[in-house]
Amino acid sequence: MSSSSICARGVLAGALVVAFLFAYVPTSALAQTTIRMDGTVTDALGEPLAGVSIRLSATTVGTITDADGEYVFQFNADRVPATVEFSFVGFITERLSVSQSGTYDVSMREDILGISEVVVTGVSGLTEKRQLGNSISTVGAAEIGNAGATDVTAALSGKVPGALVSQTSGSPAGSISVKLRGNSTINSDSEPLYIIDGVIVDNSSPELVPVGSGGVQNRLVDLNPNDIARIEVIKGAAAAAIYGSRASNGVVQIFTKRGQAGGAPRVTYSTSVSSSSVRKTLRVNEAPFRWEDPSDNSNLNKIATDRFDYQDYVFTNGLGTENYLSVAGGSNETTYFVSGSFLRNEGIVRNADFSRATLRVNLGQTLASWARLDVGTNIARSNSNDVPTGGEGFFDGAITTIQFLPHEVDAAADENGVYPAPGNAFFGNPFEVIDRYKFTQDVNRFTGNATLSMTPLEGLSGEVILGYDAFAQTARGFKPLGTVADNNGFSRRGDLSRRLFNMDATARYAKEVSPGILSTTSVGGTVQNDRSESIVNEADNLGPIVETVDGGTISSSFDLISERSLWGVFAQETVGIQDKLFLTVAGRFDGSSVFGESNRNQFYPKVSGAYVLSEESFWQESLGDNIDLFKVRASWGKSGNLTGIGPFERFTNYNPISFNGETGLIPSSAQGNADIKPETQTELELGVDLSALGGKLGVEFTFYDQTIDDLLLSRVLSPSTGASTRIENVGQLTNTGVELVVRSAVVQQPDFNLNLAAQFSKNKNEVTSLAGGSSFAIGGFSSQYAIEGEPLGVFFWRAYARHLDGPNEGELLLTPDGLPQAERGDQAMQDATGNGAMRDANGQPTGALLRILVGDPNPDWQGAFIADANYKNFSFRAQLDAVQGFDVINWNRRN
């Protein structure tokens, strides 16, 4: 059966299930005698809150406030005394005991501690965190805006326990890496799944023209952080299982700002100025001489010379500015939010900069009393001027050259504009790289979403979401004719277009099956498709003053088309008992076109539970005055990685070749494997949440234990197979850790408040199984490895020889000339601890060069401390991040 037919049948089945529910679920009969409530819901400052959910506890009976925060609510009198709940995103749920009709005005407090806030849990709609059996971290608009970050992923740093945020590029829009609860894969991307207003978006880091780390950008840089209302981060497999095959690395849900009904339009304008500079430069040799023959250690003759610090010109102070304008408002039927911005950041490398313009429009329209349509669009245009730092041409990167050159020549251009060769035949002139090379990237991006929300019957609700994300990226690289490093000139152009489409349909039915027991059933399906096309052409031997590829000799060209489809259906059942015990069971079937038919469809189950002990009478009588909320939770689930390989990697592909004027095909060196299957993550999570001292202190503690099976790795094959490598499911790794968050509302006064927050997380990663106990090089110039029994990515590298025994054991073993030397021995016996070292009759290292375990890039722990104070119209925020106990190979220092 083809992927398209399976996809079509999945959508049809999902549509039939949704239609059945909407058509056949009966409504409840209205009682003759009712209790009538009315009133106004406001925040702590007295401002009305629109859209507050009001319902009878443990039932589906409810309503919402209008644009003025007013409501009218009726329910059967036989339910009194009844508990009525008022809940709203970002606020503490308020509960009233109601026995008779009347006016009930409610003032809601912001949930500063985040213990009882309302979140969106994928298919389950708005859910109070106290009901969840798994942890979800929420980052609000103020926290994001105050971070001052260009990229929203950078704004997450220090705000989400268990999230390791690191910058992998030093450019003005540098790439940001986010890992949730450690490494979860080897062969594929460890980045989480990003969803913006229901749209699955691309966050790849394409590098069409290699310029080193300085030119790599995350595509989330196209989203303006000022447009974000909040971010919800799902880390555990049990929580992510409902997203199925794309959730093994976690899920980041981003919700943008919306208009609110009532009052005059709200206009917001902000402007900001930022500055960046290199924190520390390399030490430069300032000796006024050089050796006569640097290759002869016994020749100590000196020659006088000058010294120059090229870093004084390469690095500069970069300024950044951003202007932002938004207008929001609406009526009871229509709401709108429109924003525009322009940002320009200069880099810390001279002549590098990034600019971005964005336009966002979010509209909401009430179609009927039971239906609402929300649509949103975001248009972004960005441009960057990049400086090669060591990518395209390692020998003429602005950073690599200053490390290898002897610094004995003034690298500035002479009066004729000619740049001198700086004293090494292999390397270019860093000043010329900065001044004359042209490397640019231009990106146009459109993201759109449409959500139809329906509540046609009491207890029955559903959504249909359409999402579309597309961008076109053009990159150019140009080295003029006659430069120090490239006398023939160089021109390269790369074009990439990518589009992603997703359609999700969900239906939920909530019913009080008996007094105090609420059942919520959710079903739905999804269809996803993404397609990319890229073409890159490169030329050398350029003619004079020509910058385009057609002005030279084409030296390389490739054209690539890639497409894949995913589909899935799910069902979830949640039962709430007396509004204090909550149980959830869910299952999802997902399929992907990238795998063979026998392994294409996978099942991902989950089960979770939460018990709010503080709702019990014994707790309230003994501890209720001090501990307002105490909840224990547990969850177990599976999630997958159906995108762990490319669309065609299971095949033995053929490459075109030209010979004697004719075109033919030769097989790839990578052998196909139709039996590979997705990587699967299984995780157990346990946790405790509590709120104490009248809501002034909140604590969240989580323990997790996850196992990732069927890791996809490229194995080396015997030459007799006719191929060199093949992707196989050959590995397993584990992550075990804890997360702790403590928040305190220290001072809460009308004119002044002070909030403190601290978090701590610790993760232990281990590769527990590899084929035959072997090791695999996975990156970092072959310095990082996957080794059985060690954390993923350890540095397995050359090391100095050391004394193996005797009184000097562990000290450097020097050559007869008194110099350090490399460790040597039997490679067949080498392992991570250094076994296999050999010595000759003179006690000197002998044999082949050995590798040993020299470092671990995985941190022992990470944490953050945040202080947030507000006095009238003034605010102050300070954040301290800490990542401790990890090793870094500093390639700059090594060079």
Side-chain angles (χ1 to χ4, degrees), residues 187-200:
N187 190 59
S188 56
D189 192 0
S190 292
E191 293 293 307
L193 175 68
Y194 290 91
I195 302 175
I196 302 177
D197 294 333
V199 183
I200 296 176

Side-chain angles (χ1 to χ4, degrees), residues 375-406:
V375 297
T377 61
N378 185 65
I379 300 172
R381 162 75 177 177
S382 64
N383 169 266
S384 65
N385 292 302
D386 303 314
V387 173
T389 57
E392 175 47 55
F394 174 81
F395 300 104
D396 57 354
I399 305 300
T400 51
T401 51
I402 64 176
Q403 298 165 42
F404 283 96
L405 294 176

